[in-house]
Amino acid sequence: MGRSFGVIAGIGLTVATLNGTAQRGPAPVHQRDHPAIQYASRPPSDRLAALAKRVAVGETKLAFNGDNGYLAAMLGALGVPLESQVVVFSETSVQAELITPKNPRALFFDDGVAVGWVRGADVLELAAHDPQQGVIFYTLNQRQTALPRLERQLSCLTCHLSQNTQDVPGMLTFTTQLIPQDKYSYASGFATDHRTPIADRWGGWFVTGRAGSVHFGNTEIPQSLRPPAGAALRPRVLDSLKGVVDLRGFPAEHSDVVALMTLEHQATMINLLTRVGWAARIAEYAAPGASAPRPRPEALDEAIRELVDYMLFVDEAPLPAGTKGSSTFAATFAARGPRDPKGRSLRDFDLQSRLFRYPCSYMVYSPAFDALPARAKTAVYDRMSAVLSGRVTGEPYTRLSPADRRSIAEILRATKPGLPVSFADTIK
């Protein structure tokens, strides 16, 4: 796929590397060809691979339409909600020559797949999180045919396997300094997630709704040409993209700020889960003739600590009060998750001072979390239990209040199958 931007060209999401959200330690070296991984050769088991098989035998039909090709059909077949639409206009895809603020790229996602569409482009760009292999990238030709075929794209790893993705095939969300005359302007930016201050996010993106703060969205002015600190350019506040973007072919009229923040959080979670899974499988791999698996390496313990810290939002950037989406995304998203007997869910939003009401990632329910090797999953639960029980002290863990800790533990005990019986049982 060559060049790519944030959520697609492979479609991506990532861990932030600049502006106060740097990785706390080195990521593992590239191991995609290790016998325990075999990223390129082992058959994938992600949702797009399963859909491709159904389409190939005619079990699932994909209808083509003149407005957006196979986009609507793909979203329907995958069950990806239209409300998840977020829109990016930086010229940073393999199809960059088609992307402008008047013809931006639309991205759609749920917990495990992402779909990218550019009006007039030759292909849809797709990505899915394989429970063991990491993110798998595909394209679907936007030419009508009796049997559409999803094609796997290893070339996407040029951008989507790097330190920005924890050195595993992963997702990317970037804020960029848009310089229209420079087709490689995606390099003038950095990766973002929930640890990135709002003021540093969303360069190159349209943002609808209320963000409650200054940010880099909704403007084509490069960061380098903005007023100096203290005289920051306030972005436009948009309720929808009507009148801003030619919406022919777009299934929705929003680039909802809540959806965008959810995507940023999920991006890094996907990569951290893959990183822990790969590190654990490599650590446990026993070559033919070996007597026993090797002990867990320090690098895996470090990856587990970072994963748990991220899951529990201990270093989340403060969210300005007044943040509000412009669509029904928040309600649709919250309705998709399990609830405990008190009606609480890890998918409930807060949007007053933080993204979620109960600061523990909903990705704990993902197939990738469940597919972690047993010893690694036990270590993750042990670390979560230690943090929630208060045995891990000091900054940044003090931001988890006793009420937060109790609520998270209670929700998980009620909704997460396989949770250890003694999980966080010392919380008072």
Side-chain angles (χ1 to χ4, degrees), residues 8-53:
I8 297 201
I11 304 181
L13 315 133
T14 184
V15 76
T17 56
L18 294 178
N19 282 32
T21 54
Q23 292 177 195
R24 288 184 288 273
V29 297
H30 295 189
Q31 297 283 5
R32 64 175 182 165
D33 297 324
H34 189 281
I37 306 301
Q38 297 178 324
Y39 176 82
S41 58
R42 183 173 294 177
S45 58
D46 61 83
R47 284 163 54 198
L48 284 170
L51 176 61
K53 292 177 182 178

Side-chain angles (χ1 to χ4, degrees), residues 341-404:
K342 295 182 179 180
R344 298 173 297 185
S345 170
L346 298 183
R347 299 174 78 94
D348 289 339
F349 290 102
D350 177 75
L351 304 181
Q352 297 304 309
S353 61
R354 60 193 184 192
L355 183 56
F356 289 103
R357 172 67 184 87
Y358 306 104
C360 178
S361 179
Y362 58 91
M363 293 294 286
V364 71
Y365 303 115
S366 68
F369 185 94
D370 290 338
L372 291 174
R375 286 206 302 166
K377 191 188 301 182
T378 296
V380 170
Y381 280 139
D382 287 347
R383 178 69 181 179
M384 291 179 70
S385 185
V387 172
L388 294 175
S389 299
R391 298 195 301 274
V392 176
T393 60
E395 295 293 339
Y397 304 100
T398 55
R399 71 181 305 164
L400 284 172
S401 70
D404 287 337

Side-chain angles (χ1 to χ4, degrees), residues 135-258:
V135 179
I136 311 291
F137 303 99
Y138 300 87
T139 57
L140 177 64
N141 198 292
Q142 285 280 67
R143 183 175 61 250
Q144 187 171 11
T145 181
L147 288 176
R149 186 160 64 95
L150 280 79
E151 298 184 8
R152 185 171 177 181
Q153 300 292 344
L154 290 176
S155 60
C156 291
L157 299 186
T158 300
C159 295
H160 288 274
L161 199 168
S162 70
Q163 285 190 335
N164 274 341
T165 64
Q166 295 281 338
D167 279 327
V168 294
M171 303 289 200
L172 294 167
T173 52
F174 264 72
T175 185
T176 63
Q177 175 177 305
L178 182 64
I179 306 173
Q181 68 271 23
D182 178 0
K183 64 181 178 180
Y184 297 107
S185 63
Y186 77 100
S188 301
F190 52 89
T192 61
D193 60 27
H194 71 235
R195 299 172 291 189
T196 309
I198 296 296
D200 294 330
R201 299 193 204 179
W202 308 326
W205 296 81
F206 284 116
V207 182
T208 61
R210 300 297 188 271
S213 177
V214 172
H215 57 79
F216 285 142
N218 297 337
T219 180
E220 301 173 47
I221 299 176
Q223 296 178 31
S224 60
L225 299 182
R226 291 175 177 233
L233 179 70
R234 295 196 66 84
R236 287 183 294 172
V237 175
L238 301 176
D239 293 322
S240 80
L241 298 178
K242 286 184 176 179
V244 178
V245 171
D246 179 355
L247 290 174
R248 287 178 299 116
F250 284 76
E253 63 186 47
H254 301 278
S255 184
D256 192 301
V257 65
V258 181

Side-chain angles (χ1 to χ4, degrees), residues 225-361:
L225 299 182
R226 291 175 177 233
L233 179 70
R234 295 196 66 84
R236 287 183 294 172
V237 175
L238 301 176
D239 293 322
S240 80
L241 298 178
K242 286 184 176 179
V244 178
V245 171
D246 179 355
L247 290 174
R248 287 178 299 116
F250 284 76
E253 63 186 47
H254 301 278
S255 184
D256 192 301
V257 65
V258 181
L260 185 49
M261 290 189 294
T262 302
L263 180 63
E264 289 175 305
H265 162 74
Q266 184 174 302
T268 297
M269 267 302 302
I270 284 174
N271 298 340
L272 289 170
L273 283 168
T274 303
R275 175 188 172 190
V276 169
W278 277 29
R281 292 181 184 95
I282 291 170
E284 294 181 359
Y285 177 77
S291 59
R294 292 172 288 176
R296 193 168 75 223
E298 183 178 333
L300 177 54
D301 287 334
E302 179 187 323
I304 287 170
R305 285 194 299 271
E306 183 171 2
L307 171 64
V308 171
D309 283 1
Y310 191 83
M311 288 180 68
L312 297 177
F313 293 83
V314 299
D315 44 11
E316 179 181 12
L319 190 64
T323 300
K324 184 178 181 181
S326 62
S327 73
T328 59
F329 172 82
T332 301
F333 179 88
R336 293 169 75 95
R339 294 189 174 274
D340 75 356
K342 295 182 179 180
R344 298 173 297 185
S345 170
L346 298 183
R347 299 174 78 94
D348 289 339
F349 290 102
D350 177 75
L351 304 181
Q352 297 304 309
S353 61
R354 60 193 184 192
L355 183 56
F356 289 103
R357 172 67 184 87
Y358 306 104
C360 178
S361 179

